[in-house]
Amino acid sequence: MEQQANREWKKHIIDDTWSQAHAMTMVDLNRDGKPDFLTGKRYMAYDHDPGAREPLGIYWYEFLPNEDGSVSWVKHVVDYSTRTGAVMQIGVVDLDGDGLLTSSRREKAEFSFFINSPERKRNMKFGANAFIRSDHFGPEQFPLLPRLKEAGFDGMELPLIEHPVKRDPQLRRELEGIGLECTFCAVLPQGFNTVSDDADVRARTIEHWKACIETVAELGGTILAGPLYAPVGYLPGRRRTADEWKRAVAMFQELGPVLDKYEVSLAIEPLNRYETYFLNTAEDAVKLCREVGHRRVGIMFDTYHANIEEKSLSKAIQTAGEYLRHFHSCENDRGIPGSGHIDWPDVFQALRRVDYDGWLTIEGFGFSLGALSAAVSIWRDLAQTPDSIAFDGVRFLREASRRAERNAS
C-alpha cells in the first residue's frame, strides 16, 4: 500500500497467482541495498479459500526500480511443491557466517531452513527437435546424432505423434552411446482430444497419454511437452467453454499418479490463435496448472507462439515463473534463432529472473515434409537448409547465453 499526498492509500498488487500468505518479511536478500519481500503459502489455512489445496511454495520478490519511478517486483522460487510452506514466522539470519542470509520457517508439516548460496552459473541444456529432418526418428536418422553432439547440443527432442505409440529401444542405446539426452514432444493424433465432449474419446485419449508417459520413461526422458489439450489445428469457430476447461483439468489431474510413477513431467504448450482456440497465453497456462495442482504439470514456453500472442516476451516468461518446465527457442518466423526480431537479450534476462535452468530446444521444421510442413504452414525455405536452423541456431543461443551471464555478473 502506498500513501498518497492526500493521506489516502493506493493499492499495488505484487502477485495474485497464489493465495494464503500468512507470514512475510522485508530483507535485502541479494545484497543490492534494496529491500526484498520473503514470503510463502500456508497449506489450507482456510480450506474454503481459492487455492487452499494448491502446492506449498516459498518465494522472494526482488525490488527493481523502473526508470519512471515505479517499482517492479520480480518473483524468485525458493521452494515449491514440497512439504515446506510459511505459517506465522519467517526468520532470516546469517547462520553460517558467509555474509549471505539464511531463511528458516515453520509449517504444519515440518520445520526447515534454506541456505542462500552465492550466485550460481546457469547450466541450461541445448536441444534440437527431430522435426528438422522428419516427423519420426528412426535408424535412417541416426547419422545426425554425432553431428548434433559435435555442434554443442546436449540432447534431441523426439516426437510422439502417432497411435499406437512406437517404442524403439535401439534409439536409447544410440543416444546414450553418443552422450546425448532426450526430451519428447507430442501432439494428439486424429480421433483423440483431451477436452472432447465425447466420454469415449476422452477415455481413449487418457490411455494414449499414459502410453506416451511410459514411453518417455522407457527411452530415458523426463519431459513430455506440447499442446496436450486438443489437436493442433482444431478450431471449432468459438471460444473454449467452461466444460472443456474442466475436462482438461480433470484429465491432467488423473494423469498425476502415472507421472509420479514414471518420474515424468508434462509441459503444456500455449499455441498461437491460428493453431488452437484453447490455450494461447502464459497467463492462461498458469491458471490451468494452478487448477491441476500437481508438481509434475507445468508449462512449455515457445517464443514463436508467444511472439504472436504476448504483449511482452519477458513479462510472459516471468508470468510462467515456477511453472516453466521446458522452453522452445524459436525465431519469429521459425527460422534460425538470432536472424529475426525476437529480443533474445530480453528473453535470457527473463529466464534468469525466474531461475530457469532447463532445456532450450530449437524447434525447426523441414521444408518439404508433407503433412507436417503443411500443419505448421511452412510454405517456403526459412534458411539455406533445415539443418542450418539447428546448427547455426545453437551457436547463436550459446553465445547469447554466455553474454547474458557476463552482463549479469
Side-chain angles (χ1 to χ4, degrees):
M1 303 291 288
E2 178 186 3
Q3 189 177 35
Q4 307 293 293
N6 60 5
R7 296 182 180 273
E8 293 184 357
W9 292 87
K10 180 180 179 181
K11 181 179 181 180
H12 299 272
I13 296 176
I14 294 176
D15 188 358
D16 62 358
T17 63
W18 57 280
S19 65
Q20 303 201 346
H22 264 234
M24 178 187 71
T25 187
M26 271 191 106
V27 61
D28 181 10
L29 280 177
N30 57 357
R31 299 183 299 176
D32 65 353
K34 303 180 182 67
D36 306 304
F37 276 121
L38 178 64
T39 184
K41 172 180 168 53
R42 185 179 185 184
Y43 184 67
M44 287 185 63
Y46 307 100
D47 62 8
H48 57 275
D49 282 352
R53 297 178 183 271
E54 291 177 1
L56 297 173
I58 304 296
Y59 313 107
W60 72 277
Y61 294 84
E62 181 181 0
F63 180 105
L64 288 178
N66 299 317
E67 292 181 0
D68 62 1
S70 63
V71 172
S72 295
W73 295 94
V74 177
K75 183 179 182 180
H76 300 270
V77 179
V78 176
D79 192 55
Y80 179 73
S81 193
T82 67
R83 292 168 56 86
T84 305
V87 187
M88 304 305 294
Q89 299 92 23
I90 296 180
V92 184
V93 66
D94 182 9
L95 281 178
D96 51 6
D98 64 353
L100 298 172
L101 298 174
T102 299
S103 172
S104 64
R105 75 261 355 272
R106 174 77 167 87
E107 178 46 87
K108 295 176 181 179
E110 63 181 27
F111 175 78
S112 56
F113 71 92
F114 294 88
I115 296 176
N116 183 9
S117 300
E119 183 73 18
R120 65 179 174 86
K121 184 179 180 181
R122 243 118 285 267
N123 191 30
M124 290 181 284
K125 298 177 181 179
F126 294 83
N129 192 292
F131 288 150
I132 60 170
R133 285 292 187 89
S134 175
D135 58 359
H136 69 283
F137 200 85
E140 68 277 12
Q141 304 293 343
F142 287 173
L144 176 65
L145 297 178
R147 292 183 58 211
L148 292 174
K149 180 68 175 179
E150 184 179 348
F153 284 101
D154 300 293
M156 187 83 183
E157 185 161 275
L158 303 167
L160 296 175
I161 61 176
E162 298 175 326
H163 184 83
V165 180
K166 296 181 179 179
R167 304 176 185 178
D168 182 2
Q170 184 184 356
L171 177 56
R172 178 170 184 172
R173 292 194 295 270
E174 287 289 329
L175 289 166
E176 290 179 346
I178 293 168
L180 290 173
E181 299 178 48
C182 61
T183 60
F184 290 82
C185 64
V187 297
L188 283 165
Q190 187 71 27
F192 295 81
N193 190 336
T194 298
V195 300
S196 173
D197 59 3
D198 187 323
D200 289 337
V201 171
R202 295 199 305 275
R204 289 199 306 271
T205 301
I206 195 165
E207 292 306 313
H208 174 74
W209 286 140
K210 289 177 181 178
C212 286
I213 293 165
E214 183 178 349
T215 300
V216 169
E218 184 178 306
L219 296 181
T222 60
I223 293 285
L224 177 62
L228 311 178
Y229 38 82
V232 175
Y234 173 57
L235 300 168
R238 56 166 173 78
R239 297 187 180 193
R240 66 169 184 252
T241 67
D243 285 341
E244 288 174 323
W245 186 265
K246 291 176 183 177
R247 292 175 200 134
V249 170
M251 186 172 293
F252 292 132
Q253 287 176 333
E254 189 174 345
L255 289 172
V258 184
L259 296 171
D260 285 336
K261 177 182 177 180
Y262 291 104
E263 298 183 343
V264 169
S265 293
L266 299 183
I268 302 171
E269 179 184 21
L271 299 181
N272 72 72
R273 68 191 72 185
Y274 308 111
E275 297 185 35
T276 190
Y277 71 108
F278 187 80
L279 200 70
N280 301 128
T281 66
E283 183 178 10
D284 273 359
V286 166
K287 179 183 176 184
L288 180 64
C289 292
R290 288 183 63 206
E291 292 190 25
V292 172
H294 194 283
R295 66 191 181 94
R296 295 190 185 275
V297 177
I299 296 169
M300 176 165 80
F301 192 98
D302 187 310
T303 49
Y304 167 77
H305 296 290
N307 177 67
I308 297 172
E309 297 297 336
E310 305 285 2
K311 301 292 187 185
S312 163
L313 292 184
S314 62
K315 289 181 179 178
I317 291 168
Q318 291 177 64
T319 295
E322 72 264 32
Y323 294 103
L324 190 58
R325 298 290 183 273
H326 198 52
F327 200 89
H328 273 179
S329 310
C330 306
E331 197 46 79
N332 64 283
D333 63 349
R334 282 192 163 129
I336 300 170
S339 67
H341 65 236
I342 297 294
D343 187 347
W344 292 105
D346 199 42
V347 166
F348 278 102
Q349 183 181 48
L351 290 172
R352 186 176 182 277
R353 284 181 173 177
V354 300
D355 297 320
Y356 181 72
D357 206 12
W359 285 93
L360 296 179
T361 296
I362 299 173
E363 186 187 41
F365 293 88
F367 305 154
S368 302
L369 298 180
L372 176 62
S373 297
V376 293
S377 301
I378 304 296
W379 310 123
R380 58 187 173 84
D381 293 353
L382 301 176
Q384 187 173 1
T385 67
D387 283 4
S388 298
I389 297 175
F391 291 101
D392 293 347
V394 74
R395 284 194 292 271
F396 169 80
L397 290 174
R398 280 196 174 276
E399 177 54 34
S401 175
R402 287 191 290 265
R403 192 180 302 117
E405 286 297 315
R406 289 196 299 267
N407 292 340
S409 61

